[in-house]
Amino acid sequence: MFRLLLAVLLLTLPSRAETQPSFGITIDAVNAPTECGPHGWWISYTRTTTFSEIEASSLTRYFVQIVNDDINLVHYWGSGYNAYVQDYWVTAGTNPIALAGGSYAIPLWSTSYEAETLEYILHGDQVIWQVRAAVTCEDGVVTQYSLRSEPYERPREALPALAQNLVLALDNIPRYRNTFTQTDYLGTIEACQTFFVTDVYKPRASISVWVVESLTNQPILINDPNNPPPIVDVADDYGQPGGQPVIAECAAD
């Protein structure tokens, strides 16, 4: 009688596959990285994404870049970093040209660092998956790397958030209220002065990337090939006792 009752219960209980949607990202054909620099690093691989019982429109991607344990950038759909929705949609199938790594809008101050890029997949406001790529960069050469894809359960509010990012001016940067006509002078960010970047964004239908600096709350175009701003990303403890040391160009100051 007990065995019969147990069998009935097992038949009536819903299985995990029936109650929870499935999702997975499989990674193979990894091309090991060899070079890295102040503008980024990359790992190429083949990526196969499968899911069922989930609407594609409910899946989004959330990226976090970390350099030497300091958050460099956080971007996701709605963050202002990128106005193209399709960059954050998750689609099923195999992508043989996927890239993991970090492409730094604001250059790093060094070619020696430890860095990682975390890609979170969200189902609504619930994190369900993580892809983590990491490197150790020594004088422009990748000495160690890792790449893993795995389930990851967190609420969205538990993910890292970036409010501001400390950068360093390598040269004088005059600031104007109208950056295009260079009128209404607001002052100059002096060489070797640190300041915060409070936003990184790319306008819709544009290839330009801008940051908003905290001193005048005005935008700076940072990917202008003819006149890029002389700034580098630094850690929040830059120049402090026990923190990131002052770079050689500013040591005399």
Side-chain angles (χ1 to χ4, degrees):
M1 179 66 181
F2 175 76
R3 290 181 179 178
L4 178 60
L5 180 60
L6 178 61
V8 171
L9 286 172
L10 290 175
L11 286 173
T12 56
L13 286 174
S15 67
R16 178 177 176 84
E18 293 174 336
T19 58
Q20 298 202 10
S22 62
F23 183 91
I25 296 177
T26 302
I27 288 175
D28 53 26
V30 177
N31 187 14
T34 58
E35 298 179 352
C36 49
H39 291 279
W41 53 278
W42 298 268
I43 301 174
S44 62
Y45 60 93
T46 296
R47 166 184 181 136
T48 303
T49 304
T50 57
F51 56 87
S52 62
E53 301 181 23
I54 304 177
E55 293 293 331
S57 60
S58 69
L59 295 172
T60 55
R61 302 159 75 193
Y62 186 115
F63 295 88
V64 179
Q65 292 180 352
I66 299 173
V67 181
N68 295 331
D69 297 320
D70 184 60
I71 293 180
N72 171 273
L73 183 68
V74 173
H75 56 102
Y76 52 91
W77 173 241
S79 69
Y81 177 79
N82 197 318
Y84 294 96
V85 179
Q86 61 266 31
D87 286 356
Y88 299 97
W89 282 352
V90 182
T91 57
T94 300
N95 181 358
I97 56 173
L99 295 174
S103 179
Y104 302 117
I106 302 171
L108 303 180
W109 74 293
S110 173
T111 57
S112 296
Y113 52 82
E114 293 184 357
E116 61 182 332
T117 294
L118 302 165
E119 175 188 346
Y120 300 102
I121 306 297
L122 286 83
H123 179 217
D125 287 326
Q126 182 66 32
V127 183
I128 60 175
W129 203 268
Q130 172 187 262
V131 179
R132 178 185 180 274
V135 296
T136 298
C137 183
E138 296 182 4
D139 296 324
V141 177
V142 175
T143 57
Q144 295 184 58
Y145 84 96
S146 65
L147 177 62
R148 68 172 188 255
S149 176
E150 59 194 4
Y152 191 82
E153 296 184 2
R154 295 286 191 283
R156 182 188 182 94
E157 57 265 25
L159 294 178
L162 180 65
Q164 55 186 13
N165 186 24
L166 190 67
V167 299
L168 173 72
L170 298 179
D171 202 350
N172 294 340
I173 307 176
R175 306 300 297 124
Y176 304 91
R177 191 171 304 280
N178 189 324
T179 58
F180 294 100
T181 62
Q182 293 190 349
T183 55
D184 196 358
Y185 176 67
L186 299 174
T188 295
I189 300 175
E190 302 292 337
C192 295
Q193 181 177 359
T194 57
F195 58 98
F196 288 104
V197 170
T198 56
D199 196 8
V200 180
Y201 66 95
K202 179 189 291 186
R204 184 177 295 277
S206 172
I207 62 172
S208 61
V209 180
W210 299 76
V211 297
V212 175
E213 48 87 359
S214 60
L215 298 181
T216 65
N217 200 35
Q218 295 295 310
I220 298 178
L221 178 63
I222 62 173
N223 66 335
D224 182 353
N226 298 318
N227 189 30
I231 59 177
V232 291
D233 201 332
V234 292
D236 287 343
D237 60 4
Y238 173 80
Q240 299 177 14
Q244 180 181 352
V246 174
I247 66 173
E249 293 85 343
C250 298
D253 296 340

PDB file of all heavy atoms in Angstrom, residues 125-148:
ATOM      1  N   ASP A 125      14.078  39.971 -14.265  1.00  0.00           N
ATOM      2  CA  ASP A 125      14.965  40.553 -13.258  1.00  0.00           C
ATOM      3  C   ASP A 125      15.738  39.496 -12.488  1.00  0.00           C
ATOM      4  O   ASP A 125      16.314  39.796 -11.435  1.00  0.00           O
ATOM      5  CB  ASP A 125      14.151  41.417 -12.276  1.00  0.00           C
ATOM      6  CG  ASP A 125      13.703  42.718 -12.902  1.00  0.00           C
ATOM      7  OD1 ASP A 125      14.456  43.254 -13.728  1.00  0.00           O
ATOM      8  OD2 ASP A 125      12.603  43.195 -12.572  1.00  0.00           O
ATOM      9  N   GLN A 126      15.798  38.279 -13.001  1.00  0.00           N
ATOM     10  CA  GLN A 126      16.504  37.194 -12.333  1.00  0.00           C
ATOM     11  C   GLN A 126      17.695  36.757 -13.182  1.00  0.00           C
ATOM     12  O   GLN A 126      17.557  36.427 -14.358  1.00  0.00           O
ATOM     13  CB  GLN A 126      15.575  35.995 -12.104  1.00  0.00           C
ATOM     14  CG  GLN A 126      16.207  34.832 -11.364  1.00  0.00           C
ATOM     15  CD  GLN A 126      16.559  35.178  -9.922  1.00  0.00           C
ATOM     16  OE1 GLN A 126      15.875  35.971  -9.288  1.00  0.00           O
ATOM     17  NE2 GLN A 126      17.614  34.583  -9.404  1.00  0.00           N
ATOM     18  N   VAL A 127      18.895  36.769 -12.591  1.00  0.00           N
ATOM     19  CA  VAL A 127      20.076  36.279 -13.284  1.00  0.00           C
ATOM     20  C   VAL A 127      20.025  34.756 -13.325  1.00  0.00           C
ATOM     21  O   VAL A 127      19.787  34.106 -12.299  1.00  0.00           O
ATOM     22  CB  VAL A 127      21.369  36.724 -12.581  1.00  0.00           C
ATOM     23  CG1 VAL A 127      22.590  36.256 -13.366  1.00  0.00           C
ATOM     24  CG2 VAL A 127      21.392  38.234 -12.409  1.00  0.00           C
ATOM     25  N   ILE A 128      20.242  34.174 -14.519  1.00  0.00           N
ATOM     26  CA  ILE A 128      20.181  32.716 -14.648  1.00  0.00           C
ATOM     27  C   ILE A 128      21.483  32.116 -15.161  1.00  0.00           C
ATOM     28  O   ILE A 128      21.684  30.905 -15.046  1.00  0.00           O
ATOM     29  CB  ILE A 128      19.029  32.288 -15.574  1.00  0.00           C
ATOM     30  CG1 ILE A 128      19.210  32.887 -16.980  1.00  0.00           C
ATOM     31  CG2 ILE A 128      17.683  32.682 -14.977  1.00  0.00           C
ATOM     32  CD1 ILE A 128      18.168  32.394 -17.980  1.00  0.00           C
ATOM     33  N   TRP A 129      22.380  32.938 -15.712  1.00  0.00           N
ATOM     34  CA  TRP A 129      23.608  32.376 -16.299  1.00  0.00           C
ATOM     35  C   TRP A 129      24.730  33.399 -16.241  1.00  0.00           C
ATOM     36  O   TRP A 129      24.496  34.606 -16.182  1.00  0.00           O
ATOM     37  CB  TRP A 129      23.364  31.975 -17.753  1.00  0.00           C
ATOM     38  CG  TRP A 129      24.329  30.931 -18.251  1.00  0.00           C
ATOM     39  CD1 TRP A 129      25.524  31.143 -18.892  1.00  0.00           C
ATOM     40  CD2 TRP A 129      24.191  29.520 -18.138  1.00  0.00           C
ATOM     41  NE1 TRP A 129      26.123  29.945 -19.184  1.00  0.00           N
ATOM     42  CE2 TRP A 129      25.332  28.927 -18.746  1.00  0.00           C
ATOM     43  CE3 TRP A 129      23.195  28.687 -17.601  1.00  0.00           C
ATOM     44  CZ2 TRP A 129      25.516  27.543 -18.804  1.00  0.00           C
ATOM     45  CZ3 TRP A 129      23.377  27.308 -17.664  1.00  0.00           C
ATOM     46  CH2 TRP A 129      24.519  26.758 -18.260  1.00  0.00           C
ATOM     47  N   GLN A 130      25.975  32.891 -16.236  1.00  0.00           N
ATOM     48  CA  GLN A 130      27.142  33.757 -16.231  1.00  0.00           C
ATOM     49  C   GLN A 130      28.206  33.210 -17.179  1.00  0.00           C
ATOM     50  O   GLN A 130      28.476  32.011 -17.189  1.00  0.00           O
ATOM     51  CB  GLN A 130      27.746  33.862 -14.827  1.00  0.00           C
ATOM     52  CG  GLN A 130      29.088  34.587 -14.767  1.00  0.00           C
ATOM     53  CD  GLN A 130      29.737  34.517 -13.387  1.00  0.00           C
ATOM     54  OE1 GLN A 130      29.621  35.442 -12.605  1.00  0.00           O
ATOM     55  NE2 GLN A 130      30.401  33.417 -13.083  1.00  0.00           N
ATOM     56  N   VAL A 131      28.790  34.111 -17.986  1.00  0.00           N
ATOM     57  CA  VAL A 131      29.982  33.794 -18.771  1.00  0.00           C
ATOM     58  C   VAL A 131      31.095  34.690 -18.255  1.00  0.00           C
ATOM     59  O   VAL A 131      30.963  35.917 -18.257  1.00  0.00           O
ATOM     60  CB  VAL A 131      29.761  34.032 -20.276  1.00  0.00           C
ATOM     61  CG1 VAL A 131      31.048  33.717 -21.050  1.00  0.00           C
ATOM     62  CG2 VAL A 131      28.610  33.171 -20.790  1.00  0.00           C
ATOM     63  N   ARG A 132      32.198  34.083 -17.809  1.00  0.00           N
ATOM     64  CA  ARG A 132      33.294  34.845 -17.213  1.00  0.00           C
ATOM     65  C   ARG A 132      34.571  34.605 -18.001  1.00  0.00           C
ATOM     66  O   ARG A 132      34.995  33.465 -18.182  1.00  0.00           O
ATOM     67  CB  ARG A 132      33.511  34.443 -15.763  1.00  0.00           C
ATOM     68  CG  ARG A 132      34.682  35.167 -15.082  1.00  0.00           C
ATOM     69  CD  ARG A 132      34.912  34.640 -13.678  1.00  0.00           C
ATOM     70  NE  ARG A 132      36.021  35.320 -13.007  1.00  0.00           N
ATOM     71  CZ  ARG A 132      37.297  34.956 -13.123  1.00  0.00           C
ATOM     72  NH1 ARG A 132      37.630  33.921 -13.880  1.00  0.00           N
ATOM     73  NH2 ARG A 132      38.243  35.626 -12.485  1.00  0.00           N
ATOM     74  N   ALA A 133      35.173  35.684 -18.470  1.00  0.00           N
ATOM     75  CA  ALA A 133      36.457  35.624 -19.164  1.00  0.00           C
ATOM     76  C   ALA A 133      37.455  36.467 -18.389  1.00  0.00           C
ATOM     77  O   ALA A 133      37.128  37.577 -17.957  1.00  0.00           O
ATOM     78  CB  ALA A 133      36.329  36.135 -20.599  1.00  0.00           C
ATOM     79  N   ALA A 134      38.666  35.950 -18.198  1.00  0.00           N
ATOM     80  CA  ALA A 134      39.658  36.670 -17.399  1.00  0.00           C
ATOM     81  C   ALA A 134      41.054  36.448 -17.962  1.00  0.00           C
ATOM     82  O   ALA A 134      41.348  35.402 -18.561  1.00  0.00           O
ATOM     83  CB  ALA A 134      39.602  36.204 -15.943  1.00  0.00           C
ATOM     84  N   VAL A 135      41.908  37.453 -17.776  1.00  0.00           N
ATOM     85  CA  VAL A 135      43.301  37.346 -18.221  1.00  0.00           C
ATOM     86  C   VAL A 135      44.226  37.963 -17.182  1.00  0.00           C
ATOM     87  O   VAL A 135      43.830  38.830 -16.401  1.00  0.00           O
ATOM     88  CB  VAL A 135      43.553  38.060 -19.571  1.00  0.00           C
ATOM     89  CG1 VAL A 135      42.782  37.421 -20.694  1.00  0.00           C
ATOM     90  CG2 VAL A 135      43.270  39.549 -19.467  1.00  0.00           C
ATOM     91  N   THR A 136      45.464  37.494 -17.211  1.00  0.00           N
ATOM     92  CA  THR A 136      46.568  38.184 -16.554  1.00  0.00           C
ATOM     93  C   THR A 136      47.457  38.709 -17.663  1.00  0.00           C
ATOM     94  O   THR A 136      47.942  37.945 -18.506  1.00  0.00           O
ATOM     95  CB  THR A 136      47.358  37.240 -15.640  1.00  0.00           C
ATOM     96  OG1 THR A 136      46.492  36.752 -14.602  1.00  0.00           O
ATOM     97  CG2 THR A 136      48.533  37.965 -15.004  1.00  0.00           C
ATOM     98  N   CYS A 137      47.647  40.022 -17.692  1.00  0.00           N
ATOM     99  CA  CYS A 137      48.400  40.687 -18.745  1.00  0.00           C
ATOM    100  C   CYS A 137      49.710  41.205 -18.145  1.00  0.00           C
ATOM    101  O   CYS A 137      49.683  41.943 -17.158  1.00  0.00           O
ATOM    102  CB  CYS A 137      47.573  41.843 -19.310  1.00  0.00           C
ATOM    103  SG  CYS A 137      48.331  42.727 -20.688  1.00  0.00           S
ATOM    104  N   GLU A 138      50.825  40.813 -18.733  1.00  0.00           N
ATOM    105  CA  GLU A 138      52.132  41.257 -18.259  1.00  0.00           C
ATOM    106  C   GLU A 138      52.915  41.844 -19.427  1.00  0.00           C
ATOM    107  O   GLU A 138      53.309  41.117 -20.345  1.00  0.00           O
ATOM    108  CB  GLU A 138      52.901  40.103 -17.614  1.00  0.00           C
ATOM    109  CG  GLU A 138      52.233  39.560 -16.349  1.00  0.00           C
ATOM    110  CD  GLU A 138      53.027  38.443 -15.693  1.00  0.00           C
ATOM    111  OE1 GLU A 138      54.147  38.147 -16.180  1.00  0.00           O
ATOM    112  OE2 GLU A 138      52.535  37.870 -14.694  1.00  0.00           O
ATOM    113  N   ASP A 139      53.093  43.157 -19.405  1.00  0.00           N
ATOM    114  CA  ASP A 139      53.815  43.871 -20.461  1.00  0.00           C
ATOM    115  C   ASP A 139      53.265  43.537 -21.841  1.00  0.00           C
ATOM    116  O   ASP A 139      54.015  43.302 -22.794  1.00  0.00           O
ATOM    117  CB  ASP A 139      55.309  43.556 -20.401  1.00  0.00           C
ATOM    118  CG  ASP A 139      55.954  44.054 -19.121  1.00  0.00           C
ATOM    119  OD1 ASP A 139      55.550  45.141 -18.647  1.00  0.00           O
ATOM    120  OD2 ASP A 139      56.837  43.363 -18.581  1.00  0.00           O
ATOM    121  N   GLY A 140      51.940  43.518 -21.946  1.00  0.00           N
ATOM    122  CA  GLY A 140      51.299  43.305 -23.236  1.00  0.00           C
ATOM    123  C   GLY A 140      51.165  41.862 -23.668  1.00  0.00           C
ATOM    124  O   GLY A 140      50.693  41.592 -24.774  1.00  0.00           O
ATOM    125  N   VAL A 141      51.548  40.931 -22.812  1.00  0.00           N
ATOM    126  CA  VAL A 141      51.473  39.509 -23.140  1.00  0.00           C
ATOM    127  C   VAL A 141      50.534  38.821 -22.157  1.00  0.00           C
ATOM    128  O   VAL A 141      50.626  39.040 -20.940  1.00  0.00           O
ATOM    129  CB  VAL A 141      52.867  38.849 -23.086  1.00  0.00           C
ATOM    130  CG1 VAL A 141      52.766  37.349 -23.355  1.00  0.00           C
ATOM    131  CG2 VAL A 141      53.805  39.508 -24.091  1.00  0.00           C
ATOM    132  N   VAL A 142      49.632  37.994 -22.666  1.00  0.00           N
ATOM    133  CA  VAL A 142      48.722  37.236 -21.808  1.00  0.00           C
ATOM    134  C   VAL A 142      49.474  36.032 -21.245  1.00  0.00           C
ATOM    135  O   VAL A 142      49.920  35.148 -21.990  1.00  0.00           O
ATOM    136  CB  VAL A 142      47.482  36.761 -22.589  1.00  0.00           C
ATOM    137  CG1 VAL A 142      46.610  35.868 -21.708  1.00  0.00           C
ATOM    138  CG2 VAL A 142      46.677  37.956 -23.084  1.00  0.00           C
ATOM    139  N   THR A 143      49.643  35.988 -19.932  1.00  0.00           N
ATOM    140  CA  THR A 143      50.352  34.877 -19.294  1.00  0.00           C
ATOM    141  C   THR A 143      49.399  33.838 -18.721  1.00  0.00           C
ATOM    142  O   THR A 143      49.784  32.691 -18.529  1.00  0.00           O
ATOM    143  CB  THR A 143      51.264  35.407 -18.175  1.00  0.00           C
ATOM    144  OG1 THR A 143      50.470  36.144 -17.223  1.00  0.00           O
ATOM    145  CG2 THR A 143      52.341  36.320 -18.746  1.00  0.00           C
ATOM    146  N   GLN A 144      48.165  34.236 -18.423  1.00  0.00           N
ATOM    147  CA  GLN A 144      47.136  33.310 -17.959  1.00  0.00           C
ATOM    148  C   GLN A 144      45.782  33.788 -18.474  1.00  0.00           C
ATOM    149  O   GLN A 144      45.573  34.987 -18.635  1.00  0.00           O
ATOM    150  CB  GLN A 144      47.087  33.240 -16.429  1.00  0.00           C
ATOM    151  CG  GLN A 144      48.320  32.678 -15.765  1.00  0.00           C
ATOM    152  CD  GLN A 144      48.122  32.559 -14.257  1.00  0.00           C
ATOM    153  OE1 GLN A 144      47.209  31.898 -13.772  1.00  0.00           O
ATOM    154  NE2 GLN A 144      48.986  33.228 -13.513  1.00  0.00           N
ATOM    155  N   TYR A 145      44.895  32.830 -18.717  1.00  0.00           N
ATOM    156  CA  TYR A 145      43.533  33.209 -19.091  1.00  0.00           C
ATOM    157  C   TYR A 145      42.581  32.119 -18.666  1.00  0.00           C
ATOM    158  O   TYR A 145      42.972  30.955 -18.437  1.00  0.00           O
ATOM    159  CB  TYR A 145      43.417  33.458 -20.595  1.00  0.00           C
ATOM    160  CG  TYR A 145      43.196  32.221 -21.419  1.00  0.00           C
ATOM    161  CD1 TYR A 145      41.907  31.842 -21.807  1.00  0.00           C
ATOM    162  CD2 TYR A 145      44.267  31.423 -21.812  1.00  0.00           C
ATOM    163  CE1 TYR A 145      41.697  30.703 -22.564  1.00  0.00           C
ATOM    164  CE2 TYR A 145      44.064  30.283 -22.560  1.00  0.00           C
ATOM    165  CZ  TYR A 145      42.782  29.923 -22.944  1.00  0.00           C
ATOM    166  OH  TYR A 145      42.577  28.788 -23.678  1.00  0.00           O
ATOM    167  N   SER A 146      41.318  32.469 -18.531  1.00  0.00           N
ATOM    168  CA  SER A 146      40.274  31.491 -18.226  1.00  0.00           C
ATOM    169  C   SER A 146      38.986  31.937 -18.887  1.00  0.00           C
ATOM    170  O   SER A 146      38.757  33.131 -19.102  1.00  0.00           O
ATOM    171  CB  SER A 146      40.083  31.337 -16.711  1.00  0.00           C
ATOM    172  OG  SER A 146      39.607  32.547 -16.145  1.00  0.00           O
ATOM    173  N   LEU A 147      38.146  30.965 -19.209  1.00  0.00           N
ATOM    174  CA  LEU A 147      36.851  31.244 -19.825  1.00  0.00           C
ATOM    175  C   LEU A 147      35.895  30.157 -19.378  1.00  0.00           C
ATOM    176  O   LEU A 147      36.150  28.974 -19.591  1.00  0.00           O
ATOM    177  CB  LEU A 147      36.967  31.262 -21.350  1.00  0.00           C
ATOM    178  CG  LEU A 147      35.684  31.472 -22.157  1.00  0.00           C
ATOM    179  CD1 LEU A 147      35.063  32.817 -21.846  1.00  0.00           C
ATOM    180  CD2 LEU A 147      35.971  31.343 -23.651  1.00  0.00           C
ATOM    181  N   ARG A 148      34.821  30.544 -18.718  1.00  0.00           N
ATOM    182  CA  ARG A 148      33.870  29.547 -18.259  1.00  0.00           C
ATOM    183  C   ARG A 148      32.435  30.053 -18.418  1.00  0.00           C
ATOM    184  O   ARG A 148      32.177  31.254 -18.381  1.00  0.00           O
ATOM    185  CB  ARG A 148      34.143  29.128 -16.818  1.00  0.00           C
ATOM    186  CG  ARG A 148      33.887  30.175 -15.755  1.00  0.00           C
ATOM    187  CD  ARG A 148      34.000  29.564 -14.357  1.00  0.00           C
ATOM    188  NE  ARG A 148      33.578  30.467 -13.313  1.00  0.00           N
ATOM    189  CZ  ARG A 148      34.409  31.095 -12.503  1.00  0.00           C
ATOM    190  NH1 ARG A 148      35.712  30.926 -12.623  1.00  0.00           N
ATOM    191  NH2 ARG A 148      33.948  31.896 -11.563  1.00  0.00           N
TER     192      ARG A 148
END
